[in-house]
Amino acid sequence: MVDPEKVDELVSAARASRRPSWWTPYGAEIAPDFAEYLGYEEAAASLHAYHPVVIPGLLQTAEYSAALMSVTTQSPERTSRLVELRQRRRERAFDDADDDTGIRRLFFVVDEAALRRRIGEPMVMRGQLEQFKDMAQRPRVDLRALPFSAGAHPALQSPFVLLGFEDDDDVLYLEGRVGRTSTHDELELVARHHEYWAQLETIALGGAEALALIDEALESFTEP
């Protein structure tokens, strides 16, 4: 006997599969591998992100993104499009999560090097760090700060994102100038980065200690 609810579910899924993805208008600006990653990110239940040098993309303000991208992107028009893409991605991850349609849990470890490295004018960094403090207060966000005093660790040169799913294997995205998404036969690589994350959580500061480190960095960007 045919289950009407199951039929409706399959029909809805088929219709959804034919709809263009939200990032389709930016297709000319992004690499195919990153477009594949965005598809995984859209469906993820959890996200863990670490970058040893700059602020993770999902946490960047528009001004910070523009200042960072302008260093390597020669066209102002392309920079503007990439900043717009990043902001839409951030809105979907954070704002949609407030009504149960986005990523339910987001975990970030932000390196002190990223907190103190000046990207753009001092006012850009102040705005970025103030937004950090606001993000840290969101109930579905776990934001930790990794101080210089933590020393060396296995992920020191390896920016990465781990995406978790309810009914599927985790996916690893290795960031960099040419990023790449893990394949289904790279379970050992994914497991290794879970170990990296576990160590990062152990040595990073959370709660009031993380906010105190952010405040210290904020003071260094106060204009005379």
Side-chain angles (χ1 to χ4, degrees):
M1 181 175 180
V2 176
D3 183 347
E5 291 186 4
K6 186 64 176 177
V7 171
D8 288 342
E9 180 182 332
L10 292 172
V11 170
S12 296
R15 287 175 177 168
S17 68
R18 291 195 291 269
R19 295 172 187 160
S21 303
W22 68 263
W23 60 88
T24 298
Y26 307 94
E29 315 298 340
I30 58 178
D33 198 75
F34 187 63
E36 179 187 15
Y37 165 78
L38 289 176
Y40 285 119
E41 186 178 89
E42 184 80 355
S46 66
L47 177 147
H48 296 71
Y50 168 72
H51 200 298
V53 181
V54 297
I55 304 301
L58 279 177
L59 293 174
Q60 293 177 10
T61 63
E63 295 77 12
Y64 183 100
S65 292
L68 183 62
M69 292 178 185
S70 65
V71 177
T72 56
T73 305
Q74 296 181 354
S75 166
E77 292 77 15
R78 184 164 188 265
T79 295
S80 178
R81 293 276 291 165
L82 289 173
V83 170
E84 183 181 312
L85 167 67
R86 184 159 291 180
Q87 291 305 297
R88 285 200 61 188
R89 179 184 162 212
R90 182 173 67 84
E91 289 168 2
R92 295 182 72 86
F94 286 97
D95 296 343
D96 288 352
D98 293 334
D99 60 14
D100 292 328
T101 59
I103 303 173
R104 290 197 293 277
R105 293 301 309 275
L106 300 109
F107 303 82
F108 298 92
V109 171
V110 180
D111 203 285
E112 185 173 355
L115 297 177
R116 295 188 179 277
R117 174 170 287 103
R118 175 176 160 177
I119 303 295
E121 297 299 320
M123 65 178 297
V124 171
M125 290 304 301
R126 290 199 302 274
Q128 176 64 77
L129 297 179
E130 288 289 359
Q131 178 175 277
F132 260 177
K133 297 173 68 175
D134 292 339
M135 293 276 190
Q137 308 304 316
R138 297 198 179 196
R140 298 185 183 185
V141 176
D142 185 309
L143 196 156
R144 297 170 185 258
L146 184 65
F148 289 139
S149 59
H153 56 85
L156 187 59
Q157 302 181 67
S158 304
F160 67 91
V161 179
L162 282 165
L163 298 175
F165 302 87
E166 290 185 348
D167 302 313
D168 207 343
D169 294 331
D170 291 354
V171 168
L172 168 70
Y173 183 70
L174 297 172
E175 295 198 78
R177 188 171 295 276
V178 181
R180 80 174 185 90
T181 305
S182 63
T183 59
H184 287 291
D185 60 351
E186 292 184 296
L187 298 180
E188 184 177 342
L189 181 64
V190 175
R192 187 185 315 144
H193 280 77
H194 273 293
E195 293 174 1
Y196 292 172
W197 183 266
Q199 183 168 345
L200 286 169
E201 282 194 319
T202 300
I203 60 179
L205 304 175
E209 290 181 307
L211 292 176
L213 188 59
I214 295 171
D215 281 335
E216 286 182 22
L218 257 171
E219 290 179 6
S220 68
F221 295 109
T222 300
E223 293 179 334

PDB file of all heavy atoms in Angstrom, residues 109-145:
ATOM      1  N   VAL A 109      37.241  27.975  17.254  1.00  0.00           N
ATOM      2  CA  VAL A 109      38.437  28.314  18.027  1.00  0.00           C
ATOM      3  C   VAL A 109      39.153  29.391  17.225  1.00  0.00           C
ATOM      4  O   VAL A 109      39.531  29.174  16.074  1.00  0.00           O
ATOM      5  CB  VAL A 109      39.355  27.090  18.244  1.00  0.00           C
ATOM      6  CG1 VAL A 109      40.673  27.542  18.857  1.00  0.00           C
ATOM      7  CG2 VAL A 109      38.679  26.064  19.148  1.00  0.00           C
ATOM      8  N   VAL A 110      39.296  30.562  17.835  1.00  0.00           N
ATOM      9  CA  VAL A 110      39.918  31.708  17.174  1.00  0.00           C
ATOM     10  C   VAL A 110      41.292  31.935  17.788  1.00  0.00           C
ATOM     11  O   VAL A 110      41.432  32.099  18.991  1.00  0.00           O
ATOM     12  CB  VAL A 110      39.047  32.969  17.332  1.00  0.00           C
ATOM     13  CG1 VAL A 110      39.701  34.157  16.633  1.00  0.00           C
ATOM     14  CG2 VAL A 110      37.659  32.724  16.754  1.00  0.00           C
ATOM     15  N   ASP A 111      42.303  31.911  16.957  1.00  0.00           N
ATOM     16  CA  ASP A 111      43.675  32.055  17.428  1.00  0.00           C
ATOM     17  C   ASP A 111      43.966  33.502  17.824  1.00  0.00           C
ATOM     18  O   ASP A 111      43.454  34.444  17.219  1.00  0.00           O
ATOM     19  CB  ASP A 111      44.647  31.615  16.330  1.00  0.00           C
ATOM     20  CG  ASP A 111      45.995  31.219  16.880  1.00  0.00           C
ATOM     21  OD1 ASP A 111      46.760  32.123  17.260  1.00  0.00           O
ATOM     22  OD2 ASP A 111      46.280  30.013  16.929  1.00  0.00           O
ATOM     23  N   GLU A 112      44.793  33.678  18.857  1.00  0.00           N
ATOM     24  CA  GLU A 112      45.162  35.023  19.273  1.00  0.00           C
ATOM     25  C   GLU A 112      45.858  35.783  18.150  1.00  0.00           C
ATOM     26  O   GLU A 112      45.748  37.015  18.041  1.00  0.00           O
ATOM     27  CB  GLU A 112      46.069  34.978  20.508  1.00  0.00           C
ATOM     28  CG  GLU A 112      46.379  36.358  21.066  1.00  0.00           C
ATOM     29  CD  GLU A 112      47.138  36.331  22.388  1.00  0.00           C
ATOM     30  OE1 GLU A 112      47.358  35.227  22.940  1.00  0.00           O
ATOM     31  OE2 GLU A 112      47.501  37.420  22.862  1.00  0.00           O
ATOM     32  N   ALA A 113      46.560  35.061  17.282  1.00  0.00           N
ATOM     33  CA  ALA A 113      47.203  35.711  16.137  1.00  0.00           C
ATOM     34  C   ALA A 113      46.167  36.398  15.261  1.00  0.00           C
ATOM     35  O   ALA A 113      46.401  37.499  14.749  1.00  0.00           O
ATOM     36  CB  ALA A 113      47.978  34.675  15.317  1.00  0.00           C
ATOM     37  N   ALA A 114      45.004  35.771  15.091  1.00  0.00           N
ATOM     38  CA  ALA A 114      43.940  36.369  14.296  1.00  0.00           C
ATOM     39  C   ALA A 114      43.309  37.558  15.011  1.00  0.00           C
ATOM     40  O   ALA A 114      42.914  38.537  14.384  1.00  0.00           O
ATOM     41  CB  ALA A 114      42.872  35.324  13.985  1.00  0.00           C
ATOM     42  N   LEU A 115      43.230  37.474  16.338  1.00  0.00           N
ATOM     43  CA  LEU A 115      42.661  38.580  17.113  1.00  0.00           C
ATOM     44  C   LEU A 115      43.531  39.836  17.048  1.00  0.00           C
ATOM     45  O   LEU A 115      43.021  40.954  17.067  1.00  0.00           O
ATOM     46  CB  LEU A 115      42.494  38.171  18.579  1.00  0.00           C
ATOM     47  CG  LEU A 115      41.528  37.021  18.883  1.00  0.00           C
ATOM     48  CD1 LEU A 115      41.553  36.712  20.373  1.00  0.00           C
ATOM     49  CD2 LEU A 115      40.114  37.357  18.429  1.00  0.00           C
ATOM     50  N   ARG A 116      44.835  39.641  16.951  1.00  0.00           N
ATOM     51  CA  ARG A 116      45.757  40.777  17.040  1.00  0.00           C
ATOM     52  C   ARG A 116      46.296  41.228  15.678  1.00  0.00           C
ATOM     53  O   ARG A 116      46.845  42.327  15.573  1.00  0.00           O
ATOM     54  CB  ARG A 116      46.928  40.428  17.965  1.00  0.00           C
ATOM     55  CG  ARG A 116      46.489  40.200  19.409  1.00  0.00           C
ATOM     56  CD  ARG A 116      47.669  40.044  20.334  1.00  0.00           C
ATOM     57  NE  ARG A 116      47.261  39.853  21.713  1.00  0.00           N
ATOM     58  CZ  ARG A 116      46.940  40.828  22.557  1.00  0.00           C
ATOM     59  NH1 ARG A 116      46.973  42.090  22.158  1.00  0.00           N
ATOM     60  NH2 ARG A 116      46.590  40.558  23.804  1.00  0.00           N
ATOM     61  N   ARG A 117      46.162  40.408  14.652  1.00  0.00           N
ATOM     62  CA  ARG A 117      46.666  40.802  13.333  1.00  0.00           C
ATOM     63  C   ARG A 117      45.749  41.857  12.727  1.00  0.00           C
ATOM     64  O   ARG A 117      44.560  41.630  12.526  1.00  0.00           O
ATOM     65  CB  ARG A 117      46.759  39.594  12.400  1.00  0.00           C
ATOM     66  CG  ARG A 117      47.152  39.973  10.962  1.00  0.00           C
ATOM     67  CD  ARG A 117      47.470  38.765  10.118  1.00  0.00           C
ATOM     68  NE  ARG A 117      48.763  38.188  10.513  1.00  0.00           N
ATOM     69  CZ  ARG A 117      48.904  37.102  11.248  1.00  0.00           C
ATOM     70  NH1 ARG A 117      47.842  36.452  11.671  1.00  0.00           N
ATOM     71  NH2 ARG A 117      50.095  36.654  11.570  1.00  0.00           N
ATOM     72  N   ARG A 118      46.320  43.000  12.426  1.00  0.00           N
ATOM     73  CA  ARG A 118      45.512  44.095  11.877  1.00  0.00           C
ATOM     74  C   ARG A 118      45.171  43.828  10.419  1.00  0.00           C
ATOM     75  O   ARG A 118      46.044  43.712   9.564  1.00  0.00           O
ATOM     76  CB  ARG A 118      46.277  45.418  12.006  1.00  0.00           C
ATOM     77  CG  ARG A 118      45.552  46.587  11.344  1.00  0.00           C
ATOM     78  CD  ARG A 118      46.288  47.881  11.571  1.00  0.00           C
ATOM     79  NE  ARG A 118      45.900  48.884  10.583  1.00  0.00           N
ATOM     80  CZ  ARG A 118      46.343  50.129  10.564  1.00  0.00           C
ATOM     81  NH1 ARG A 118      47.218  50.531  11.477  1.00  0.00           N
ATOM     82  NH2 ARG A 118      45.942  50.976   9.637  1.00  0.00           N
ATOM     83  N   ILE A 119      43.884  43.742  10.148  1.00  0.00           N
ATOM     84  CA  ILE A 119      43.361  43.619   8.791  1.00  0.00           C
ATOM     85  C   ILE A 119      42.523  44.872   8.540  1.00  0.00           C
ATOM     86  O   ILE A 119      41.488  45.075   9.167  1.00  0.00           O
ATOM     87  CB  ILE A 119      42.490  42.357   8.625  1.00  0.00           C
ATOM     88  CG1 ILE A 119      43.277  41.089   9.003  1.00  0.00           C
ATOM     89  CG2 ILE A 119      41.943  42.264   7.210  1.00  0.00           C
ATOM     90  CD1 ILE A 119      44.445  40.784   8.093  1.00  0.00           C
ATOM     91  N   GLY A 120      42.972  45.723   7.644  1.00  0.00           N
ATOM     92  CA  GLY A 120      42.277  46.979   7.423  1.00  0.00           C
ATOM     93  C   GLY A 120      42.638  48.020   8.468  1.00  0.00           C
ATOM     94  O   GLY A 120      43.644  47.899   9.171  1.00  0.00           O
ATOM     95  N   GLU A 121      41.801  49.009   8.609  1.00  0.00           N
ATOM     96  CA  GLU A 121      42.031  50.085   9.573  1.00  0.00           C
ATOM     97  C   GLU A 121      41.674  49.617  10.982  1.00  0.00           C
ATOM     98  O   GLU A 121      40.943  48.638  11.157  1.00  0.00           O
ATOM     99  CB  GLU A 121      41.189  51.309   9.201  1.00  0.00           C
ATOM    100  CG  GLU A 121      41.541  51.922   7.859  1.00  0.00           C
ATOM    101  CD  GLU A 121      42.984  52.408   7.834  1.00  0.00           C
ATOM    102  OE1 GLU A 121      43.442  52.968   8.845  1.00  0.00           O
ATOM    103  OE2 GLU A 121      43.642  52.223   6.792  1.00  0.00           O
ATOM    104  N   PRO A 122      42.187  50.321  12.013  1.00  0.00           N
ATOM    105  CA  PRO A 122      41.853  49.933  13.390  1.00  0.00           C
ATOM    106  C   PRO A 122      40.345  49.833  13.651  1.00  0.00           C
ATOM    107  O   PRO A 122      39.898  48.943  14.375  1.00  0.00           O
ATOM    108  CB  PRO A 122      42.485  51.054  14.227  1.00  0.00           C
ATOM    109  CG  PRO A 122      43.657  51.502  13.416  1.00  0.00           C
ATOM    110  CD  PRO A 122      43.190  51.412  11.984  1.00  0.00           C
ATOM    111  N   MET A 123      39.558  50.706  13.033  1.00  0.00           N
ATOM    112  CA  MET A 123      38.118  50.661  13.247  1.00  0.00           C
ATOM    113  C   MET A 123      37.516  49.363  12.695  1.00  0.00           C
ATOM    114  O   MET A 123      36.506  48.866  13.227  1.00  0.00           O
ATOM    115  CB  MET A 123      37.432  51.874  12.610  1.00  0.00           C
ATOM    116  CG  MET A 123      37.526  51.937  11.109  1.00  0.00           C
ATOM    117  SD  MET A 123      36.647  53.385  10.411  1.00  0.00           S
ATOM    118  CE  MET A 123      34.989  53.017  10.896  1.00  0.00           C
ATOM    119  N   VAL A 124      38.127  48.811  11.641  1.00  0.00           N
ATOM    120  CA  VAL A 124      37.673  47.534  11.101  1.00  0.00           C
ATOM    121  C   VAL A 124      37.884  46.430  12.130  1.00  0.00           C
ATOM    122  O   VAL A 124      37.000  45.589  12.363  1.00  0.00           O
ATOM    123  CB  VAL A 124      38.406  47.193   9.785  1.00  0.00           C
ATOM    124  CG1 VAL A 124      38.092  45.761   9.336  1.00  0.00           C
ATOM    125  CG2 VAL A 124      38.030  48.181   8.696  1.00  0.00           C
ATOM    126  N   MET A 125      39.047  46.433  12.759  1.00  0.00           N
ATOM    127  CA  MET A 125      39.339  45.410  13.771  1.00  0.00           C
ATOM    128  C   MET A 125      38.457  45.583  15.003  1.00  0.00           C
ATOM    129  O   MET A 125      38.005  44.595  15.595  1.00  0.00           O
ATOM    130  CB  MET A 125      40.814  45.467  14.160  1.00  0.00           C
ATOM    131  CG  MET A 125      41.764  45.001  13.067  1.00  0.00           C
ATOM    132  SD  MET A 125      41.409  43.312  12.468  1.00  0.00           S
ATOM    133  CE  MET A 125      41.583  42.346  13.971  1.00  0.00           C
ATOM    134  N   ARG A 126      38.200  46.824  15.381  1.00  0.00           N
ATOM    135  CA  ARG A 126      37.323  47.034  16.531  1.00  0.00           C
ATOM    136  C   ARG A 126      35.921  46.493  16.249  1.00  0.00           C
ATOM    137  O   ARG A 126      35.303  45.841  17.093  1.00  0.00           O
ATOM    138  CB  ARG A 126      37.268  48.519  16.895  1.00  0.00           C
ATOM    139  CG  ARG A 126      38.562  49.055  17.485  1.00  0.00           C
ATOM    140  CD  ARG A 126      38.328  50.363  18.248  1.00  0.00           C
ATOM    141  NE  ARG A 126      37.733  51.381  17.395  1.00  0.00           N
ATOM    142  CZ  ARG A 126      38.421  52.198  16.621  1.00  0.00           C
ATOM    143  NH1 ARG A 126      39.742  52.097  16.573  1.00  0.00           N
ATOM    144  NH2 ARG A 126      37.811  53.115  15.889  1.00  0.00           N
ATOM    145  N   GLY A 127      35.426  46.782  15.051  1.00  0.00           N
ATOM    146  CA  GLY A 127      34.111  46.260  14.700  1.00  0.00           C
ATOM    147  C   GLY A 127      34.087  44.747  14.665  1.00  0.00           C
ATOM    148  O   GLY A 127      33.117  44.115  15.099  1.00  0.00           O
ATOM    149  N   GLN A 128      35.177  44.142  14.164  1.00  0.00           N
ATOM    150  CA  GLN A 128      35.264  42.688  14.096  1.00  0.00           C
ATOM    151  C   GLN A 128      35.274  42.068  15.493  1.00  0.00           C
ATOM    152  O   GLN A 128      34.554  41.109  15.772  1.00  0.00           O
ATOM    153  CB  GLN A 128      36.522  42.286  13.334  1.00  0.00           C
ATOM    154  CG  GLN A 128      36.775  40.792  13.271  1.00  0.00           C
ATOM    155  CD  GLN A 128      35.708  40.046  12.502  1.00  0.00           C
ATOM    156  OE1 GLN A 128      35.691  40.070  11.278  1.00  0.00           O
ATOM    157  NE2 GLN A 128      34.794  39.386  13.196  1.00  0.00           N
ATOM    158  N   LEU A 129      36.074  42.618  16.378  1.00  0.00           N
ATOM    159  CA  LEU A 129      36.192  42.047  17.714  1.00  0.00           C
ATOM    160  C   LEU A 129      34.935  42.286  18.551  1.00  0.00           C
ATOM    161  O   LEU A 129      34.555  41.439  19.362  1.00  0.00           O
ATOM    162  CB  LEU A 129      37.429  42.611  18.410  1.00  0.00           C
ATOM    163  CG  LEU A 129      38.765  42.245  17.724  1.00  0.00           C
ATOM    164  CD1 LEU A 129      39.936  42.868  18.480  1.00  0.00           C
ATOM    165  CD2 LEU A 129      38.939  40.748  17.621  1.00  0.00           C
ATOM    166  N   GLU A 130      34.286  43.417  18.335  1.00  0.00           N
ATOM    167  CA  GLU A 130      33.020  43.661  19.041  1.00  0.00           C
ATOM    168  C   GLU A 130      31.967  42.662  18.580  1.00  0.00           C
ATOM    169  O   GLU A 130      31.167  42.170  19.383  1.00  0.00           O
ATOM    170  CB  GLU A 130      32.536  45.094  18.794  1.00  0.00           C
ATOM    171  CG  GLU A 130      33.354  46.169  19.494  1.00  0.00           C
ATOM    172  CD  GLU A 130      33.157  46.183  21.012  1.00  0.00           C
ATOM    173  OE1 GLU A 130      32.358  45.369  21.526  1.00  0.00           O
ATOM    174  OE2 GLU A 130      33.826  47.000  21.675  1.00  0.00           O
ATOM    175  N   GLN A 131      31.966  42.359  17.286  1.00  0.00           N
ATOM    176  CA  GLN A 131      31.016  41.356  16.801  1.00  0.00           C
ATOM    177  C   GLN A 131      31.302  39.992  17.408  1.00  0.00           C
ATOM    178  O   GLN A 131      30.374  39.230  17.706  1.00  0.00           O
ATOM    179  CB  GLN A 131      31.068  41.256  15.270  1.00  0.00           C
ATOM    180  CG  GLN A 131      30.133  40.180  14.722  1.00  0.00           C
ATOM    181  CD  GLN A 131      30.075  40.130  13.220  1.00  0.00           C
ATOM    182  OE1 GLN A 131      29.345  40.882  12.596  1.00  0.00           O
ATOM    183  NE2 GLN A 131      30.853  39.233  12.617  1.00  0.00           N
ATOM    184  N   PHE A 132      32.593  39.696  17.591  1.00  0.00           N
ATOM    185  CA  PHE A 132      32.976  38.452  18.271  1.00  0.00           C
ATOM    186  C   PHE A 132      32.264  38.308  19.601  1.00  0.00           C
ATOM    187  O   PHE A 132      31.708  37.264  19.933  1.00  0.00           O
ATOM    188  CB  PHE A 132      34.478  38.483  18.560  1.00  0.00           C
ATOM    189  CG  PHE A 132      35.292  37.709  17.574  1.00  0.00           C
ATOM    190  CD1 PHE A 132      36.661  37.710  17.691  1.00  0.00           C
ATOM    191  CD2 PHE A 132      34.723  36.989  16.563  1.00  0.00           C
ATOM    192  CE1 PHE A 132      37.443  37.011  16.807  1.00  0.00           C
ATOM    193  CE2 PHE A 132      35.493  36.281  15.668  1.00  0.00           C
ATOM    194  CZ  PHE A 132      36.859  36.308  15.797  1.00  0.00           C
ATOM    195  N   LYS A 133      32.323  39.380  20.358  1.00  0.00           N
ATOM    196  CA  LYS A 133      31.738  39.345  21.695  1.00  0.00           C
ATOM    197  C   LYS A 133      30.230  39.106  21.625  1.00  0.00           C
ATOM    198  O   LYS A 133      29.662  38.381  22.451  1.00  0.00           O
ATOM    199  CB  LYS A 133      32.058  40.636  22.432  1.00  0.00           C
ATOM    200  CG  LYS A 133      33.558  40.832  22.666  1.00  0.00           C
ATOM    201  CD  LYS A 133      33.877  42.187  23.245  1.00  0.00           C
ATOM    202  CE  LYS A 133      33.361  42.338  24.657  1.00  0.00           C
ATOM    203  NZ  LYS A 133      33.779  43.622  25.262  1.00  0.00           N
ATOM    204  N   ASP A 134      29.588  39.700  20.620  1.00  0.00           N
ATOM    205  CA  ASP A 134      28.153  39.477  20.444  1.00  0.00           C
ATOM    206  C   ASP A 134      27.872  38.031  20.049  1.00  0.00           C
ATOM    207  O   ASP A 134      26.939  37.396  20.561  1.00  0.00           O
ATOM    208  CB  ASP A 134      27.599  40.419  19.372  1.00  0.00           C
ATOM    209  CG  ASP A 134      27.616  41.873  19.815  1.00  0.00           C
ATOM    210  OD1 ASP A 134      27.667  42.121  21.033  1.00  0.00           O
ATOM    211  OD2 ASP A 134      27.590  42.764  18.932  1.00  0.00           O
ATOM    212  N   MET A 135      28.681  37.505  19.128  1.00  0.00           N
ATOM    213  CA  MET A 135      28.496  36.123  18.676  1.00  0.00           C
ATOM    214  C   MET A 135      28.651  35.134  19.824  1.00  0.00           C
ATOM    215  O   MET A 135      27.942  34.129  19.913  1.00  0.00           O
ATOM    216  CB  MET A 135      29.517  35.791  17.584  1.00  0.00           C
ATOM    217  CG  MET A 135      29.330  36.554  16.281  1.00  0.00           C
ATOM    218  SD  MET A 135      28.125  35.749  15.239  1.00  0.00           S
ATOM    219  CE  MET A 135      28.350  36.654  13.708  1.00  0.00           C
ATOM    220  N   ALA A 136      29.607  35.431  20.698  1.00  0.00           N
ATOM    221  CA  ALA A 136      29.895  34.517  21.806  1.00  0.00           C
ATOM    222  C   ALA A 136      28.709  34.372  22.756  1.00  0.00           C
ATOM    223  O   ALA A 136      28.636  33.398  23.518  1.00  0.00           O
ATOM    224  CB  ALA A 136      31.120  35.005  22.573  1.00  0.00           C
ATOM    225  N   GLN A 137      27.774  35.311  22.715  1.00  0.00           N
ATOM    226  CA  GLN A 137      26.624  35.268  23.609  1.00  0.00           C
ATOM    227  C   GLN A 137      25.466  34.448  23.051  1.00  0.00           C
ATOM    228  O   GLN A 137      24.492  34.186  23.756  1.00  0.00           O
ATOM    229  CB  GLN A 137      26.132  36.699  23.895  1.00  0.00           C
ATOM    230  CG  GLN A 137      27.211  37.655  24.384  1.00  0.00           C
ATOM    231  CD  GLN A 137      27.929  37.155  25.619  1.00  0.00           C
ATOM    232  OE1 GLN A 137      27.290  36.667  26.558  1.00  0.00           O
ATOM    233  NE2 GLN A 137      29.247  37.256  25.638  1.00  0.00           N
ATOM    234  N   ARG A 138      25.561  34.063  21.784  1.00  0.00           N
ATOM    235  CA  ARG A 138      24.458  33.310  21.190  1.00  0.00           C
ATOM    236  C   ARG A 138      24.412  31.897  21.759  1.00  0.00           C
ATOM    237  O   ARG A 138      25.442  31.237  21.908  1.00  0.00           O
ATOM    238  CB  ARG A 138      24.610  33.268  19.668  1.00  0.00           C
ATOM    239  CG  ARG A 138      24.549  34.648  19.022  1.00  0.00           C
ATOM    240  CD  ARG A 138      24.255  34.547  17.556  1.00  0.00           C
ATOM    241  NE  ARG A 138      24.172  35.854  16.935  1.00  0.00           N
ATOM    242  CZ  ARG A 138      23.625  36.080  15.742  1.00  0.00           C
ATOM    243  NH1 ARG A 138      23.105  35.074  15.060  1.00  0.00           N
ATOM    244  NH2 ARG A 138      23.589  37.286  15.227  1.00  0.00           N
ATOM    245  N   PRO A 139      23.218  31.390  22.051  1.00  0.00           N
ATOM    246  CA  PRO A 139      23.102  30.092  22.723  1.00  0.00           C
ATOM    247  C   PRO A 139      23.628  28.911  21.929  1.00  0.00           C
ATOM    248  O   PRO A 139      24.032  27.901  22.501  1.00  0.00           O
ATOM    249  CB  PRO A 139      21.595  29.962  22.993  1.00  0.00           C
ATOM    250  CG  PRO A 139      20.947  30.888  22.007  1.00  0.00           C
ATOM    251  CD  PRO A 139      21.901  32.024  21.848  1.00  0.00           C
ATOM    252  N   ARG A 140      23.625  28.990  20.603  1.00  0.00           N
ATOM    253  CA  ARG A 140      24.064  27.857  19.794  1.00  0.00           C
ATOM    254  C   ARG A 140      25.508  27.988  19.336  1.00  0.00           C
ATOM    255  O   ARG A 140      25.975  27.201  18.520  1.00  0.00           O
ATOM    256  CB  ARG A 140      23.151  27.707  18.578  1.00  0.00           C
ATOM    257  CG  ARG A 140      21.707  27.423  18.981  1.00  0.00           C
ATOM    258  CD  ARG A 140      20.844  27.162  17.783  1.00  0.00           C
ATOM    259  NE  ARG A 140      19.460  26.956  18.196  1.00  0.00           N
ATOM    260  CZ  ARG A 140      18.484  26.604  17.374  1.00  0.00           C
ATOM    261  NH1 ARG A 140      18.759  26.421  16.102  1.00  0.00           N
ATOM    262  NH2 ARG A 140      17.261  26.450  17.815  1.00  0.00           N
ATOM    263  N   VAL A 141      26.197  28.988  19.859  1.00  0.00           N
ATOM    264  CA  VAL A 141      27.580  29.232  19.442  1.00  0.00           C
ATOM    265  C   VAL A 141      28.521  28.982  20.607  1.00  0.00           C
ATOM    266  O   VAL A 141      28.295  29.456  21.716  1.00  0.00           O
ATOM    267  CB  VAL A 141      27.754  30.684  18.939  1.00  0.00           C
ATOM    268  CG1 VAL A 141      29.213  30.954  18.590  1.00  0.00           C
ATOM    269  CG2 VAL A 141      26.858  30.940  17.737  1.00  0.00           C
ATOM    270  N   ASP A 142      29.573  28.207  20.346  1.00  0.00           N
ATOM    271  CA  ASP A 142      30.648  28.003  21.318  1.00  0.00           C
ATOM    272  C   ASP A 142      31.903  28.622  20.708  1.00  0.00           C
ATOM    273  O   ASP A 142      32.457  28.097  19.745  1.00  0.00           O
ATOM    274  CB  ASP A 142      30.846  26.508  21.573  1.00  0.00           C
ATOM    275  CG  ASP A 142      31.874  26.232  22.668  1.00  0.00           C
ATOM    276  OD1 ASP A 142      32.996  26.796  22.584  1.00  0.00           O
ATOM    277  OD2 ASP A 142      31.583  25.466  23.592  1.00  0.00           O
ATOM    278  N   LEU A 143      32.323  29.763  21.253  1.00  0.00           N
ATOM    279  CA  LEU A 143      33.468  30.477  20.715  1.00  0.00           C
ATOM    280  C   LEU A 143      34.595  30.482  21.736  1.00  0.00           C
ATOM    281  O   LEU A 143      34.424  30.960  22.855  1.00  0.00           O
ATOM    282  CB  LEU A 143      33.076  31.913  20.346  1.00  0.00           C
ATOM    283  CG  LEU A 143      34.034  32.686  19.431  1.00  0.00           C
ATOM    284  CD1 LEU A 143      33.284  33.792  18.707  1.00  0.00           C
ATOM    285  CD2 LEU A 143      35.188  33.299  20.218  1.00  0.00           C
ATOM    286  N   ARG A 144      35.742  29.937  21.341  1.00  0.00           N
ATOM    287  CA  ARG A 144      36.903  29.874  22.227  1.00  0.00           C
ATOM    288  C   ARG A 144      38.074  30.618  21.600  1.00  0.00           C
ATOM    289  O   ARG A 144      38.153  30.756  20.379  1.00  0.00           O
ATOM    290  CB  ARG A 144      37.296  28.418  22.500  1.00  0.00           C
ATOM    291  CG  ARG A 144      36.215  27.627  23.222  1.00  0.00           C
ATOM    292  CD  ARG A 144      36.517  26.145  23.266  1.00  0.00           C
ATOM    293  NE  ARG A 144      35.411  25.425  23.865  1.00  0.00           N
ATOM    294  CZ  ARG A 144      35.399  24.979  25.123  1.00  0.00           C
ATOM    295  NH1 ARG A 144      36.457  25.182  25.897  1.00  0.00           N
ATOM    296  NH2 ARG A 144      34.359  24.339  25.598  1.00  0.00           N
ATOM    297  N   ALA A 145      38.961  31.106  22.441  1.00  0.00           N
ATOM    298  CA  ALA A 145      40.135  31.850  21.980  1.00  0.00           C
ATOM    299  C   ALA A 145      41.387  31.083  22.382  1.00  0.00           C
ATOM    300  O   ALA A 145      41.533  30.646  23.520  1.00  0.00           O
ATOM    301  CB  ALA A 145      40.149  33.246  22.594  1.00  0.00           C
TER     302      ALA A 145
END
